[in-house]
Amino acid sequence: MTRKSVLVTGATGYIASRLIPALIGEGLAVRVTSRHPERVGRRHPATSTVTSDLLDPDSLRPALAGVDVAYYLVHSMGGSDFEASDRDAARNFAAAAADAGVARIVYLGGLGRDDDRLSSHLRSRREVGRILAEGTVEVVELRAAIVIGSGSIAFEMVRYLTERLPVMIAPRWLETRIQPIGEDDLVRYLVGAATLEPGGNRIVGIGGKDVLTYRQMILGYARLRGLRRAIVGVPVLTPSLSSHWVKLVTPMPFSVAKPLIDGLRNEVVVTDDAAARLFPGIEPCGYSTAVTAALKGQIRYLDAASAPGEAAVPGSLEGMLIDRQWVPSAADATRMGEVIHAIGGDDRWYPLRLAWWVRARLDDVFGGTGLKWCREPGPLTKGARVDWWTVEATEPDRLLLKAELKVPGEAWLEWRVVPLEPGCELRQTAYYRPKGLIGHLYWLLMWPFHVPIFRLMAIRLAQRAELESGEPLGRARLRFWNAGRSAAEALE
Ligand SMILES: NC(=O)c1ccc[n+]([C@@H]2O[C@H](COP(=O)([O-])OP(=O)(O)OC[C@H]3O[C@@H](n4cnc5c(N)ncnc54)[C@H](OP(=O)(O)O)[C@@H]3O)[C@@H](O)[C@H]2O)c1
């Protein structure tokens, strides 16, 4: 039997990047499209990538050729006239899918009642569903409210607001009813939609077990993170003002915050039993379970986020703060791998020893165990203790350590080695998941110390590998001010 061939659009997007591994796991032949295939990189190696822009009909033909089921997971929110772009994209896609003989389009749209005054974002999602369904290809339109998962833009707004604001001014939209859905459940529905029996166009509302208000979502998130949060109601706060506020306190741009907040005035709950009838095997989880999984998912995501093919992500990543130092070295990759695995046990790898001493005393003051130099001899294994770190992952070209320091949040330090011709590049990334406002302030306060420490640490490791390779010292040192840039840039 030939494998079903599926196409996933928007491969760099949040939903697609969670769906693709699940489809591969089902044994389907997966092709993906993006306007930026380089960003898809090595994240989905078992797929073929086609460069395609839904606003360019010619680019859709090769993408859709030979495809049985095509997932439409694209939106233009953030662009200047997103409604017009989404309309054009949907028309192009419906026509190209019909020409290519695609059997089914699976589209993920938004919940909301048709008789409500829908926000521009939800209206546009509706319109895309309608345009796709007007074509000749069968369409399964799943409609969801907020997806709870690390990287889901709507969930990130909940996360940033709750983490950063001990007291929140509550506009009216905090009382709107929402039925959020967990990422894993959503992916199950999307995968299931590919194998439904043929049955014409269908619209299926999907949601988690709980119907909540936005206020309850914020307080529920805070409870799970051990944060105390207060919400003060005010009679008037326009979506526009709220969006400016969100832009101020979170990294989300106004052009994304505005349509999202506009949409919060619309009740988004499932009103029929179509999902239960069509997908009887799926029992969606509640909000707390979904948030707990999202917080775990954030850590799992460290893997993908720092994969060698990925471009540098400056500043922040899904609620984590990041310091990234990329240092080219004349040493070969194998030697560099050995050097990163020899880390710890004495102070030779850590620059600015006095700064670490001060940090150790602070750890004592705040009830931690203090920074202790300790390192078992021999190769590092998962779970081993290295000074004030625990090994979370170890491969010949990668080491991930979790800090055991007393910090308001959690911190990781990772090294990856990427071979170059000649030499290699050491990619050092510090990740910090701040807890609440104090956690964010801690990162800011430590920044003047962290910058030289992290830079010097990466450079010292690179130099060490050069020395042990018998290479003349210099490339890594000369590149001091280039740390944090990609190898290609640094070598220019
Ligand atoms: N996240 C949620 O909570 C949620 C909830 C309900 C429904 N949905 C729906 O799920 C779908 C995907 O959402 P998401 O959260 O994954 O969004 P996302 O992370 O913002 O991804 C959107 C994707 O659209 C692609 N794109 C935009 N314009 C394009 C164009 N002209 N041609 C080709 N690709 C284009 C972008 O890819 P490139 O820029 O790389 O090409 C990007 O990967 C949307 O339909 C959304 O309405 C999401």
Side-chain angles (χ1 to χ4, degrees):
M1 208 174 77
T2 54
R3 284 197 301 166
K4 210 175 228 164
S5 168
V6 299
L7 175 78
V8 182
T9 55
T12 54
Y14 161 67
I15 305 277
S17 63
R18 304 309 189 261
L19 172 64
I20 291 164
L23 292 171
I24 293 169
E26 289 293 308
L28 301 166
V30 182
R31 186 185 300 162
V32 306
T33 71
S34 170
R35 290 173 302 178
H36 307 103
E38 71 287 353
R39 287 198 207 145
V40 180
R42 290 174 52 171
R43 213 180 267 190
H44 306 298
T47 61
S48 63
T49 307
V50 178
T51 308
S52 168
D53 182 343
L54 267 62
L55 296 174
D56 170 12
D58 288 343
S59 71
L60 284 170
R61 248 173 257 125
L64 284 159
V67 163
D68 300 306
V69 177
Y71 285 90
Y72 189 99
L73 299 173
V74 164
H75 68 79
S76 311
M77 198 167 61
S80 55
D81 186 356
F82 70 86
E83 291 181 79
S85 299
D86 277 336
R87 203 175 298 134
D88 292 343
R91 283 195 188 117
N92 293 340
F93 197 78
D99 287 348
V102 171
R104 176 176 299 162
I105 295 173
V106 178
Y107 164 58
L108 181 62
L111 279 169
R113 291 198 323 266
D114 284 331
D115 58 355
D116 205 354
R117 198 166 58 84
L118 292 180
S119 68
S120 53
H121 172 56
L122 284 178
R123 220 171 37 229
S124 169
R125 297 289 82 202
R126 275 300 142 80
E127 191 180 17
V128 166
R130 224 171 16 246
I131 292 170
L132 294 175
E134 278 164 9
T136 54
V137 178
E138 181 188 279
V139 175
V140 175
E141 177 178 344
L142 300 178
R143 289 183 177 170
I146 292 179
V147 179
I148 305 298
S150 194
S152 166
I153 194 83
F155 174 68
E156 291 304 333
M157 194 161 84
V158 174
R159 186 212 300 270
Y160 279 116
L161 288 175
T162 318
E163 293 280 352
R164 293 187 177 185
L165 297 175
V167 179
M168 224 175 285
I169 308 291
R172 246 187 342 200
W173 48 256
L174 276 190
E175 307 305 336
T176 310
R177 291 194 326 143
I178 302 170
Q179 191 167 356
I181 182 167
E183 177 183 297
D184 291 344
D185 291 327
L186 175 84
V187 168
R188 270 181 220 120
Y189 282 117
L190 282 168
V191 171
T195 49
L196 283 177
E197 289 300 318
N201 292 343
R202 277 159 284 187
I203 293 175
V204 189
I206 54 174
K209 209 166 68 179
D210 300 323
V211 176
L212 308 159
T213 62
Y214 206 75
R215 176 196 291 269
Q216 288 170 323
M217 284 177 58
I218 286 175
L219 294 178
Y221 176 93
R223 201 176 46 250
L224 288 167
R225 288 281 285 149
L227 297 166
R228 290 174 64 146
R229 291 295 177 256
I231 299 182
V232 182
V234 290
V236 191
L237 191 60
T238 64
S240 193
L241 253 177
S242 304
S243 312
H244 281 295
W245 179 237
V246 168
K247 178 179 176 288
L248 196 72
V249 297
T250 78
M252 296 175 64
F254 180 80
S255 57
V256 172
K258 174 81 168 50
L260 276 183
I261 289 178
D262 273 350
L264 292 178
R265 68 164 184 257
N266 298 121
E267 187 167 290
V268 278
V269 296
V270 178
T271 52
D272 59 33
D273 64 350
R277 275 189 291 107
L278 288 170
F279 305 99
I282 301 178
E283 278 186 37
C285 70
Y287 178 67
S288 299
T289 310
V291 172
T292 307
L295 293 170
K296 281 206 190 105
Q298 192 187 15
I299 310 305
R300 273 203 313 267
Y301 192 58
L302 284 181
D303 248 7
S306 58
E310 285 297 299
V313 186
S316 79
L317 171 81
E318 298 180 9
M320 290 216 233
L321 299 163
I322 289 174
D323 177 275
R324 188 164 279 193
Q325 307 292 339
W326 291 9
V327 183
S329 167
D332 72 73
T334 311
R335 179 71 61 182
M336 184 66 83
E338 288 164 6
V339 165
I340 60 172
H341 283 86
I343 197 152
D346 60 33
D347 63 342
R348 65 188 169 154
W349 306 120
Y350 296 101
L352 304 181
R353 188 162 164 75
L354 180 65
W356 285 115
W357 182 86
V358 172
R359 185 64 186 82
R361 300 290 71 79
L362 281 175
D363 212 50
D364 284 339
V365 170
F366 289 109
T369 52
L371 308 186
K372 304 255 184 326
W373 300 95
C374 65
R375 161 76 147 99
E376 292 297 318
L380 291 176
T381 50
K382 197 168 173 207
R385 188 71 191 248
V386 184
D387 303 334
W388 51 93
W389 309 90
T390 300
V391 178
E392 286 226 328
T394 165
E395 292 150 40
D397 58 354
R398 180 177 179 235
L399 183 65
L400 176 67
L401 305 179
K402 180 161 195 271
E404 301 298 339
L405 294 170
K406 193 92 178 151
V407 286
E410 293 152 281
W412 292 262
L413 189 56
E414 182 195 55
W415 294 275
R416 269 185 194 272
V417 183
V418 178
L420 294 178
E421 216 31 80
C424 68
E425 183 172 68
L426 178 66
R427 295 185 176 181
Q428 175 186 289
T429 312
Y431 302 91
Y432 174 56
R433 178 160 74 176
K435 184 168 173 189
L437 186 61
I438 301 285
H440 284 85
L441 292 177
Y442 169 83
W443 178 260
L444 283 180
L445 209 69
M446 295 307 283
W447 186 247
F449 304 98
H450 279 164
V451 168
I453 286 176
F454 288 141
R455 281 199 179 170
L456 279 173
M457 189 184 283
I459 287 168
R460 291 275 165 84
L461 285 165
Q463 286 179 336
R464 183 94 206 166
E466 283 177 355
L467 268 177
E468 292 189 4
S469 303
E471 294 287 343
L473 246 192
R475 193 167 169 199
R477 185 174 41 198
L478 282 172
R479 304 292 170 201
F480 179 85
W481 295 112
N482 288 327
R485 301 170 61 197
S486 75
E489 286 171 321
L491 292 172
E492 269 169 13

